[in-house]
Amino acid sequence: MTDLWTPASVCPVGATLGEGPVWLPEEKRLWFVDIKGRKLHCFDPVSHRLNSWDAPAQIGWVLPVEGGKLMTGLQGGLYLFDPDSGFFTLVRKVEGDLPGNRLNDATTDKDGALWFGSMDDAEEADSGRIYRFRDGLIADSGLAPVCITNGPAISPDGRTLYHTDTLGQTIHASDVGADGWPTNTRLFARIEAGGGYPDGPIVDAEGNVWTGLFAGWGARCYAPDGTFVRTVRFPVANVTKLAFGSDDLMTVYATTATKGLSADERRMQPDAGNLFAFRADVAGQTVIPISAWPDRT
């Protein structure tokens, strides 16, 4: 049993860069990835069983698709994944002209459109952008490029898009216009020097924005107006992203990372890279599957 606001390691996966957790209620299982380990994982919290598959490239995220199967964001493109065969099938190439980029984080909106971001794998150039995949088409969101994008995440009413500039230590909010595109971008939250780097954001059912803190030893929650609500402290430095799960969507899972830790830091953080969980007093949102597209039958 996990405790309120007290994270505990629930799966000793030891990921180099754990990321992209997503709870699938019909399966009652949590899917997540290890980007640098090129692994796709599926965790059953009842049996504590972990199933894993090798990915053909760095894998940033996994999300459900309408009608079954899963979509993943690999370096170079969007791929369908079939758990039965373990095969990854290319759906669309992304940023073929930027071989140094990779896909990093993603979400879906209330209409089943996929929003995803890219980043410079060397973490140097401002080449990361945010895209939308809808009706089979990939389009640039028009948001300003940054080195490491994270998110986006979307409010329960679908009217606000949150997106993170990780190296800039900022989370921004944009209105979603009548045409479905972001507009009126403004600063939502800034992480102070020494507070860590905002990683993957998610939004709970009450509209609060949660972010993992890489090198920040925890996760933070902000109210819809940007007011700080709380910090959840972790026994590991690199907390990457959260996901609300269980039947009531009030168990919060968190991926973590060993990336960047020295040998001494690894010894001091034996649970680094593991999957964690804690209980919250607010529920999350159910993930909307990606809508089918013209050449997906």
Side-chain angles (χ1 to χ4, degrees):
M1 175 69 71
T2 52
D3 295 328
L4 188 68
W5 311 124
T6 305
S9 174
V10 294
C11 182
V13 65
T16 302
L17 186 53
E19 263 289 5
V22 60
W23 177 262
L24 299 190
E26 66 279 4
E27 298 181 3
K28 298 187 178 182
R29 294 186 296 179
L30 185 90
W31 290 80
F32 63 104
V33 305
D34 180 351
I35 297 175
K36 294 298 181 181
R38 300 187 179 191
K39 292 283 189 180
L40 175 58
H41 297 298
C42 181
F43 174 66
D44 183 333
V46 175
S47 66
H48 296 280
R49 181 177 179 180
L50 180 73
N51 290 322
S52 303
W53 297 263
D54 292 323
Q58 293 188 86
I59 178 170
W61 47 265
V62 56
L63 286 167
V65 176
E66 186 178 63
K69 292 193 178 180
L70 299 163
M71 184 179 282
T72 62
L74 298 183
Q75 186 165 16
L78 306 178
Y79 285 73
L80 282 177
F81 174 70
D82 182 351
D84 294 330
S85 66
F87 291 161
F88 291 81
T89 303
L90 179 65
V91 174
R92 295 288 187 274
K93 291 183 179 180
V94 180
E95 296 187 336
D97 59 331
L98 295 172
N101 270 18
R102 64 171 173 83
L103 302 191
N104 194 48
D105 198 8
T107 193
T108 53
D109 65 21
K110 60 185 179 63
D111 297 319
L114 168 69
W115 294 82
F116 65 95
S118 65
M119 62 168 281
D120 175 23
D121 195 38
E123 302 182 11
E124 297 174 350
D126 287 343
S127 58
R129 294 184 178 274
I130 291 178
Y131 300 91
R132 186 182 75 176
F133 174 74
R134 183 176 182 179
D135 298 329
L137 301 175
I138 294 175
D140 192 322
S141 68
L143 295 169
V146 298
C147 184
I148 301 177
T149 66
N150 258 294
I154 299 174
S155 62
D157 61 10
R159 296 177 180 176
T160 306
L161 187 80
Y162 300 96
H163 43 101
T164 298
D165 174 357
T166 294
L167 292 187
Q169 294 181 282
T170 53
I171 302 172
H172 291 84
S174 298
D175 296 333
V176 178
D179 59 358
W181 292 106
T183 184
N184 187 31
T185 298
R186 66 272 186 194
L187 179 66
F188 175 75
R190 183 184 300 276
I191 307 300
E192 73 284 356
Y197 295 87
D199 211 316
I202 60 168
V203 183
D204 66 31
E206 295 182 2
N208 302 303
V209 179
W210 296 76
T211 182
L213 295 173
F214 199 95
W217 296 87
R220 285 192 190 174
C221 175
Y222 294 89
D225 64 359
T227 302
F228 169 77
V229 175
R230 71 167 63 247
T231 296
V232 178
R233 295 295 180 187
F234 278 69
V236 296
N238 301 328
V239 182
T240 54
K241 189 167 183 175
L242 310 181
F244 286 80
S246 73
D247 289 342
D248 60 5
L249 293 179
M250 294 175 73
T251 295
V252 184
Y253 293 94
T255 47
T256 65
T258 61
K259 180 178 180 288
L261 298 181
S262 67
D264 285 343
E265 288 170 330
R266 289 287 301 274
R267 284 191 290 271
M268 294 295 291
Q269 301 174 45
D271 290 330
N274 290 354
L275 181 69
F276 284 76
F278 63 89
R279 290 289 289 176
D281 61 5
V282 62
Q285 300 184 73
T286 300
V287 175
I288 304 298
I290 300 166
S291 294
W293 52 94
D295 56 348
R296 162 88 170 134
T297 57

